[in-house]
Amino acid sequence: MSTPQQAGKGDQGGVVPAQAEPDPVAGHPAGGEELTGRQRAARGVLAQAGQAGSAGERREVEREAKAGLASVNGVQITGGTVNGGNYYDFRVLNSRSQLRSYQLEARQVAEVKATFVQSGDYPDLAQGAQGQRLLLLRGRPGSGRTAVGWRLLLAGGASALAMLAPETDLGALGRADLTPGTGYLLTGLSGPAINRLDSFLLARLTAELAAEQCRLVVVLPESFQHPGKELFALIRTPAHQDVVRAHLAWGLGAGADRADAVLARPDVRRVLAERLDAFTPLSAAAELGALLADVELPGGDLEGWLLLRRWSGLSQDLDEWFRELPDLQTQALGVALSVLAGEPYETVSLLAEALKRRLQPPADEVRRERDRSTALQSSRRRRLELLGAEVVPGEVASRHGTAPGMIVRFRAPGRQRELLLHFWDEYDDHRSAVLAWLRECARHELVSVRVRAAVAAGVLAVGSFDLLRATVLDAWAGSADELQREAAATALNTAAEAPELGEPVREVVRSWASAEADEEFRATAARSWRVLLDQPGGAALRLLHDLAGTEDVEVMDALFRTLADQFATGEERHRREVLQLLRYWVLGTDPQRRLVGELSFLYVAVDLVENRPARSADPGRWPTLLAVSAADPVRQSELAELWAAVLGSADSWEVAQSCLGSWARQLETDPAGRRALGRLLARAAEVSPRTERLLRHLAGQWNNPDGAGLPLVSAEVGHRLDERKRQP
């Protein structure tokens, strides 16, 4: 980096603020002294410039991990089923949008049509829904709300059907996200998302749907009320036997006569009577019908039906099914899969072997190791068949996008969560082994494995909170290992989704954040921000503000990542709060919080990246803060002020120049990106003449062929600065 006296002499640096000479940031200071906390934190921000996208990666993996285990109140978070069996694999299907959805295939649409069983409510629902673009459908879980929603969309003339991911922000949904003529279904909205369904949002959403000739059915709890919007309530449901028959006939493909013959068997009638009652979800009846179609029922015994029971995923038979698995290796693979479903088979298999060693009794005279000449008995195919699992093509999310691969998962929806809780509850003498294995997974080299283990710990904590806190969460939270602290926060955020654990979990976070706590606990508290997010009085922001007055580098680094995570949610409310907090710190008078604010802003700047704005002609990726500034003049002004502050800071100027240089390198070949960057920096130059001089010097350095070699960005920034000068 150049000093003020060196600036403009052809070196590779920028302009150092006049008020102070810089402290070294990269490497050790002169004389072999150890790095200060400020220098270590600054190095962390610089390192992040080379691995942008980590916040998005963490968020994507956690969302996927919760898909199989479902939320703690039994609602699927990012996965689902179509009429009792098929998984939704939510993906971004529209290059103009970040909306995640799943479009039903032609076979699935045909199944929706063929298997729908009309209830007594349906004719009135269909009549009332005519001509409506947005339908709010109330009903209790298991009443067939999803099937009715699909049918209403088809009756309304939808040319295609798609399921929206449950985390969809309806407040941000717009025309660019929609495919013309499509009928959309949304279920599994969180409580806070449901509370935001006000009249203004619903009216705006209706207009957006109408513009693209689309329809949307939002499935809501039975208790939902809205004074300004007509609601459609599903009260009467079809008979379970009729649902079984419809799915059985569809699966057999041979008409109703053969289905009636199967249902007339005494053994089938008896077991259906045992398994289906008024409280059984209709999805279970649909699944039974589909499974009956896949099982060859013998004429004289129940062998085929017992096979059906093992594959059905019904909780009454789970203990029998698990005990009858042939060996510990297969059982360990099943438990490992209940935590790690969605990972490549090789990853799950290796970690299952580690779990087996922990569960295995010690060798003695009776329990000797397998004789070396004994033939191998178990294959991958056989183990997966016994577990009702499969290896399928899938995509693994990462900061560089998604990569195709082969992942392993259970076939039966709900089996993953069901098996995890069953083993935890029924095999309680092995809990210590499972907890030790989860701690091992939380240190794994793959972030996806670490997140899945933490989510599983959070799910287990719902029923055993005190035990998990004492044996796992506190140990993780107080660990010197950042990976274990991250796991503690993820587990706690997962457990907090259970309403009955809300206050106990918040109390844990408050204790970790106390001034008397060690810095590791305080860092974990910063990463547990979501626990307090929807609490009154801005509790989450107060927590972050209190923690920002620290010189502890672990806490500072946790704050960087937390603010990046909060901004990465994409919700306007969260983004507004992050920018307000950063401006309060950076432009305030508290020197420590100013430093934390400056480095936090720079971390967010280099870590968050996203696809080009909607309707963009080019498929490139921009820094998220640049995309926000290009879309909103108010945000552009706020971000320009922050850039001016960090470039002129005696503490952070070097890091700021490096981060801005990483933006320039990313945008050198992107004409629209260069223009957006030029406009943003021209706005920053308005803050002070000194800021303009800093930016002109940087632009000159970018054009230096012996340095950055970024002539296009340099020319664009110089042009925008000159253009600003010419304006009256």
Side-chain angles (χ1 to χ4, degrees):
M1 291 292 179
S2 62
T3 66
Q5 292 75 25
Q6 294 171 320
K9 294 184 179 181
D11 57 0
Q12 312 308 314
V15 180
V16 181
Q19 60 263 41
E21 286 292 321
D23 291 328
V25 174
H28 288 281
E33 299 176 8
E34 292 189 3
L35 293 172
T36 66
R38 184 196 71 80
Q39 291 164 342
R40 289 169 57 201
R43 286 186 65 184
V45 175
L46 288 174
Q48 196 60 33
Q51 48 183 352
S54 62
E57 180 188 15
R58 288 191 301 269
R59 182 168 174 261
E60 204 54 33
V61 172
E62 183 175 343
R63 184 162 52 192
E64 184 189 344
K66 290 180 179 178
L69 286 172
S71 73
V72 293
N73 61 7
V75 177
Q76 200 80 1
I77 291 182
T78 62
T81 62
V82 182
N83 293 343
N86 300 314
Y87 277 95
Y88 291 133
D89 181 12
F90 295 117
R91 301 182 185 182
V92 176
L93 302 178
N94 185 341
S95 62
R96 305 179 304 167
S97 166
Q98 289 293 299
L99 181 70
R100 289 170 16 102
S101 62
Y102 174 85
Q103 183 167 329
L104 270 63
E105 301 171 358
R107 173 188 59 82
Q108 293 171 315
V109 175
E111 181 181 359
V112 167
K113 294 177 179 178
T115 59
F116 180 69
V117 180
Q118 183 171 301
S119 69
D121 290 335
Y122 182 75
D124 292 336
L125 290 174
Q127 183 176 2
Q130 288 181 359
Q132 301 224 28
R133 294 290 173 185
L134 176 60
L135 305 174
L136 303 183
L137 180 62
R138 294 187 302 140
R140 60 178 176 81
S143 62
R145 299 174 300 177
T146 300
V148 170
W150 290 132
R151 189 67 176 189
L152 289 172
L153 290 171
L154 288 172
S159 59
L161 298 179
M163 172 71 85
L164 298 180
E167 76 277 3
T168 298
D169 180 6
L170 291 178
L173 191 67
R175 293 181 59 181
D177 301 309
L178 304 172
T179 301
T182 299
Y184 293 95
L185 187 73
L186 175 58
T187 186
L189 279 177
S190 66
I194 291 174
N195 293 336
R196 290 195 288 270
L197 295 179
D198 57 32
S199 298
F200 176 80
L201 183 152
L202 297 177
R204 186 200 63 80
L205 187 55
T206 300
E208 297 288 303
L209 292 165
E212 297 296 325
Q213 297 297 304
C214 293
R215 284 179 167 78
L216 170 64
V217 174
V218 182
V219 175
L220 296 164
E222 190 174 24
S223 59
F224 179 78
Q225 298 288 338
H226 196 288
K229 176 68 177 177
E230 181 180 4
L231 302 175
F232 296 86
L234 186 60
I235 300 173
R236 290 176 288 177
T237 61
H240 290 79
Q241 188 84 2
D242 293 339
V243 174
V244 172
R245 182 176 180 273
H247 285 267
L248 175 59
W250 165 258
L252 293 174
D257 291 343
R258 188 177 172 194
D260 289 337
V262 172
L263 294 174
R265 288 174 54 100
D267 51 357
V268 173
R269 290 207 316 269
R270 182 176 63 255
V271 177
L272 287 179
E274 293 173 356
R275 299 293 182 245
L276 300 177
D277 57 33
F279 301 100
T280 303
L282 290 180
S283 59
E287 183 184 352
L288 284 172
L291 290 167
L292 276 169
D294 290 337
V295 174
E296 193 65 36
L297 291 177
D301 57 48
L302 287 177
E303 180 182 351
W305 178 247
L306 289 175
L307 177 61
L308 167 65
R309 291 174 65 197
R310 291 177 183 176
W311 284 64
S312 67
L314 295 178
S315 59
Q316 295 95 322
D317 303 313
L318 188 59
D319 187 57
E320 177 186 350
W321 168 82
F322 189 76
R323 283 188 286 105
E324 291 182 0
L325 292 174
D327 50 43
L328 180 59
Q329 184 178 19
T330 305
Q331 290 179 320
L333 179 62
V335 176
L337 188 56
S338 73
V339 173
L340 302 172
E343 290 294 309
Y345 175 82
E346 292 75 14
T347 301
V348 179
S349 179
L350 286 173
L351 289 168
E353 184 65 26
L355 177 60
K356 186 191 82 169
R357 290 194 295 269
R358 294 184 180 278
L359 296 173
Q360 204 167 29
D364 55 26
E365 290 300 319
V366 178
R367 295 187 292 260
R368 292 176 297 175
E369 296 292 333
R370 177 177 60 85
D371 189 273
R372 296 179 64 184
S373 62
T374 302
L376 299 176
Q377 299 294 324
S378 183
S379 65
R380 182 181 83 165
R381 178 182 299 179
R382 175 61 175 162
R383 289 195 298 273
L384 293 179
E385 179 182 307
L386 290 167
L387 291 172
E390 60 186 351
V391 175
V392 297
E395 292 186 345
V396 178
S398 74
R399 66 188 59 145
H400 304 296
T402 56
M406 302 298 291
I407 62 172
V408 61
R409 70 184 186 191
F410 288 108
R411 286 193 181 95
R415 171 56 60 89
Q416 181 182 350
R417 171 183 169 84
E418 190 178 37
L419 179 55
L420 175 65
L421 296 179
H422 173 78
F423 189 84
W424 179 258
D425 291 337
E426 298 298 325
Y427 294 81
D428 53 342
D429 52 334
H430 293 295
R431 284 182 173 181
S432 60
V434 171
L435 294 176
W437 179 74
L438 287 175
R439 288 193 290 270
E440 180 180 347
C441 291
R443 297 190 299 269
H444 197 271
E445 60 183 1
L446 294 178
V447 64
S448 54
V449 170
R450 300 196 298 267
V451 170
R452 292 182 201 280
V455 169
V459 170
L460 294 177
V462 174
S464 307
F465 185 69
D466 290 338
L467 173 63
L468 265 292
R469 179 184 178 181
T471 58
V472 175
L473 299 183
D474 278 342
W476 282 353
S479 172
D481 184 348
E482 175 192 328
L483 301 181
Q484 293 202 31
R485 296 199 300 272
E486 191 73 21
T490 300
L492 207 61
N493 287 327
T494 301
E497 295 183 25
E500 66 272 20
L501 283 185
E503 186 53 36
V505 167
R506 289 190 288 272
E507 184 57 39
V508 170
V509 174
R510 286 191 284 265
S511 69
W512 289 350
S514 67
E516 296 76 23
D518 293 338
E519 68 173 292
E520 291 82 8
F521 283 103
R522 290 167 61 79
T524 308
R527 298 298 294 131
S528 305
W529 60 281
R530 278 177 290 172
V531 170
L532 302 175
L533 191 58
D534 292 312
Q535 291 301 295
L541 296 180
R542 286 204 313 274
L543 168 74
L544 301 182
H545 180 73
D546 291 343
L547 292 172
T550 182
E551 296 182 358
D552 295 328
V553 66
E554 303 293 352
V555 180
M556 293 170 66
D557 182 68
L559 288 168
F560 301 162
R561 287 180 284 123
T562 288
L563 290 167
D565 285 349
Q566 188 170 354
F567 203 91
T569 64
E571 291 193 29
E572 175 59 25
R573 174 173 66 98
H574 295 162
R575 291 184 168 185
R576 182 175 63 251
E577 289 174 347
V578 169
L579 289 178
Q580 287 175 346
L581 194 60
L582 289 175
R583 284 166 52 80
Y584 186 75
W585 292 345
V586 172
L587 305 177
T589 57
D590 184 325
Q592 185 57 41
R593 287 187 171 88
R594 183 168 60 243
L595 172 63
V596 171
E598 290 170 357
L599 294 179
S600 296
F601 167 70
L602 293 170
Y603 186 99
V604 173
V606 295
D607 182 54
L608 299 188
V609 291
E610 65 180 49
N611 291 332
R612 286 288 308 278
R615 297 183 175 84
S616 172
D618 301 322
R621 288 167 70 81
W622 284 9
T624 297
L625 293 187
L626 182 65
V628 169
S629 76
D632 186 338
V634 175
R635 294 285 177 261
Q636 183 186 71
S637 179
E638 294 172 344
L639 291 168
E641 192 174 19
L642 287 169
W643 271 117
V646 295
L647 287 168
S649 168
D651 292 317
S652 306
W653 68 272
E654 288 180 296
V655 185
Q657 289 189 13
S658 295
C659 293
L660 194 56
S662 73
W663 276 27
R665 287 189 295 274
Q666 184 177 346
L667 300 168
E668 173 68 10
T669 59
D670 185 335
R674 295 196 302 269
R675 290 192 295 271
L677 179 61
R679 287 190 291 267
L680 174 62
L681 296 185
R683 194 72 179 270
E686 297 176 5
V687 173
S688 71
R690 185 165 176 274
T691 302
E692 181 179 352
R693 292 195 298 271
L694 288 166
L695 290 171
R696 287 190 181 278
H697 181 75
L698 275 178
Q701 295 306 306
W702 292 338
N703 194 34
N704 188 338
D706 297 327
L710 303 171
L712 299 179
V713 171
S714 175
E716 180 66 33
V717 172
H719 166 69
R720 295 290 175 178
L721 293 175
D722 291 340
E723 186 178 59
R724 188 190 73 84
K725 275 286 194 182
R726 291 193 296 268
Q727 293 176 353

